[in-house]
Amino acid sequence: MIRSMKLFSMFATVFALALTPAAFAAEIERQGEGRLFFTTITIPANAETLYVSGSGASQLEDGTWGNTAQQATNTFEKLKATLENVGWSMSDVVQVRVFGVAGKFNFAEFNEAYLKFFGTEENPQKPVRSVVEVAAMVVDGWVLEIEIRAARVK
């Protein structure tokens, strides 16, 4: 009798734990929505994550690199292609980190390009975001470099 009660108690505990919210697939939580980004995003333990190395613009046909808006647009297009090549999308991006060259990086132009990729009808999601000023880039001509992190629930 005691053994039966112990088994019943053990099964009841396991069943109760299986019904807790943690046992269900949690979603990515975005909080503090602003015009351009969220202030926090919580990634649940059951999510896949993808880290994409920093990237900058490609040189234009005329040998120049373009202004901040052109470089940001080109870089986001390259990042989008990188994501799509491995089965992810821009809507999976949860963090954008931007490095901009002091005196050359134009914040308004960057935001103009950024808004083509985030908070749009095609991609209503917005990531968290940081913009860091740096003295120079590794590639002459770049005024910015962007790295992203993506996450999605399995």
Side-chain angles (χ1 to χ4, degrees), residues 28 30 33 36-38 41 90-94 114 117-127:
I28 294 172
R30 301 169 193 270
E33 183 175 9
L36 301 169
F37 52 87
F38 283 90
I41 296 178
M90 290 297 276
S91 64
D92 297 318
V93 174
V94 293
Y114 174 89
F117 296 89
F118 300 103
T120 66
E121 190 172 309
E122 179 184 342
N123 176 23
Q125 300 295 354
K126 299 175 202 170

Side-chain angles (χ1 to χ4, degrees), residues 67-69 71-72 98-111 129-134 137 142-146:
N67 63 20
T68 301
Q71 287 195 28
V98 183
F99 302 91
V101 177
K104 296 180 180 179
F105 179 84
N106 182 305
F107 202 71
E109 287 182 7
F110 172 78
N111 282 334
R129 186 178 91 176
S130 300
V131 179
V132 180
E133 187 177 275
V134 296
M137 290 287 158
W142 281 5
V143 298
L144 60 88
E145 181 174 345
I146 303 170

Side-chain angles (χ1 to χ4, degrees), residues 28-30 37-44 47-51 83 88-97 114 118 123 125-130 147-153:
I28 294 172
E29 293 181 27
R30 301 169 193 270
F37 52 87
F38 283 90
T39 55
T40 64
I41 296 178
T42 303
I43 309 299
E48 296 178 279
T49 55
L50 179 69
Y51 299 82
L83 289 169
W88 291 64
S89 72
M90 290 297 276
S91 64
D92 297 318
V93 174
V94 293
Q95 182 180 25
V96 171
R97 184 174 295 136
Y114 174 89
F118 300 103
N123 176 23
Q125 300 295 354
K126 299 175 202 170
V128 295
R129 186 178 91 176
S130 300
E147 65 181 35
I148 59 174
R149 292 183 179 147
R152 63 184 178 195
V153 175

Side-chain angles (χ1 to χ4, degrees), residues 14-30:
V14 169
F15 183 72
L17 288 174
L19 293 178
T20 62
F24 296 102
E27 294 296 319
I28 294 172
E29 293 181 27
R30 301 169 193 270

Side-chain angles (χ1 to χ4, degrees), residues 76-91:
F76 279 124
E77 286 171 349
K78 288 168 57 176
L79 291 167
K80 180 179 179 184
T82 298
L83 289 169
E84 290 173 353
N85 284 338
V86 294
W88 291 64
S89 72
M90 290 297 276
S91 64

